[in-house]
């Protein structure tokens, strides 16, 4: 390390107080993080691309600074979904610092990594007060039965009103309207569970019929419409 002449000519003034980093909560402990290997956490981050056309929810399970598990969920951009496939291969095994400085193919995924990095290193993680943290596989458990991302997709215009397309329960097939043409319920199919049943040997028609359900006052409908065609 090189020093300027002015610094070399200075006398030494010793540092008295030891001011360590503030401890952050990590997996049920208070940790004074001084290097990347001190970081362990399970948490989520949200990112968006430059034109704000799409968004990414990134979930990482970090142990001793290394990403052991990654869940990449994207919406709104077809290119981003393919970028997610690459990011899923890139992320595991990297330290969070490496991942922060790695091109994860898509703006939204890179932004999610940045936001998630900040949360993790400041101790704002889902597992902050969970002793021992969360097991590898916790990200997959977040997806629930059928391993499908939970999405909400609705569309509306001032002229024609709202259309529910996908909600928590699944893919909306029919909307129920009352006498005032207001939505009072809907019919949906749980695609995750349906596909699991098909994989287990049920016919597509039987699996579809098994997992078609209704929500709200669907049975009281004065009118039923297809939200994608009517």
């Amino acid at each position: 390390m090189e020093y300027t002449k002015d610094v070399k000519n200075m006398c030494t003034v010793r540092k008295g107080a030891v001011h360590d980093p503030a401890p952050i909560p990590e997996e049920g402990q208070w940790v004074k993080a001084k290097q990347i290997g001190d970081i362990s956490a399970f948490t989520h981050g949200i990112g968006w691309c430059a034109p704000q056309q799409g968004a990414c929810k990134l979930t990482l399970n970090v142990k001793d600074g290394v990403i052991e598990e990654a869940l990449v969920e994207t919406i709104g951009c077809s290119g981003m979904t393919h970028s997610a496939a690459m990011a899923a291969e890139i992320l595991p095994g990297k330290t969070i610092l490496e991942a922060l400085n790695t091109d994860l193919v898509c703006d939204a995924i890179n932004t999610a990594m940045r936001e998630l990095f900040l949360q993790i290193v400041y101790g704002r993680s889902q597992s902050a007060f969970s002793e021992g943290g969360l097991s590898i596989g916790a990200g997959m458990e977040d997806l629930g039965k059928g391993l499908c991302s939970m999405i909400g997709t609705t569309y509306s215009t001032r002229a024609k009103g709202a259309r529910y397309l996908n909600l928590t329960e699944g893919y909306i097939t029919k909307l129920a309207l009352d006498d005032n043409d207001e939505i009072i319920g809907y019919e949906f199919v749980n695609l995750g569970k349906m596909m699991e049943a098909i994989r287990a040997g049920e016919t597509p028609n039987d699996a579809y019929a098994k997992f078609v359900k209704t929500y709200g006052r669907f049975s009281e409908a004065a009118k039923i419409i297809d939200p994608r065609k009517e």
Side-chain angles (χ1 to χ4, degrees), residues 15-34:
K15 180 179 178 180
V18 176
H19 196 71
D20 279 343
I24 61 175
E26 287 186 26
E27 301 191 340
Q29 300 181 45
W30 290 98
V31 177
K32 293 182 178 181
K34 297 183 179 181

Side-chain angles (χ1 to χ4, degrees), residues 76-182:
C77 171
S78 58
M80 188 188 301
T81 61
H82 289 85
S83 299
M86 299 179 69
E89 295 192 38
I90 292 169
L91 285 166
K94 286 186 176 290
T95 68
I96 54 173
L97 182 59
E98 285 181 290
L100 182 66
N101 290 286
T102 298
D103 182 7
L104 300 175
V105 190
C106 167
D107 278 352
I109 305 174
N110 285 318
T111 303
M113 183 64 227
R114 180 194 71 196
E115 298 299 308
L116 198 151
F117 180 89
L118 291 173
Q119 290 174 211
I120 290 175
V121 297
Y122 286 125
R124 274 70 168 178
S125 70
Q126 185 174 322
S127 60
F129 298 103
S130 301
E131 188 173 349
L134 299 182
S135 301
I136 309 304
M140 181 175 284
E141 291 176 352
D142 264 7
L143 293 174
K145 293 181 179 179
L147 302 182
C148 281
S149 295
M150 192 175 294
I151 59 172
T153 308
T154 59
Y155 175 76
S156 62
T157 61
R158 180 181 177 185
K160 298 296 182 177
R163 301 294 188 277
Y164 298 170
L165 304 175
N166 286 278
L167 292 177
T168 303
E169 297 86 356
Y171 179 96
I172 308 299
T173 55
K174 298 175 182 178
L175 284 183
L177 308 181
D178 64 12
D179 291 329
N180 294 322
D181 287 334
E182 296 178 8

Side-chain angles (χ1 to χ4, degrees), residues 215-229:
Y215 179 84
R217 295 185 288 124
F218 188 84
S219 62
E220 301 175 20
K223 182 179 180 181
I224 293 175
I225 65 170
D226 181 334
R228 290 170 173 80
K229 294 183 178 180

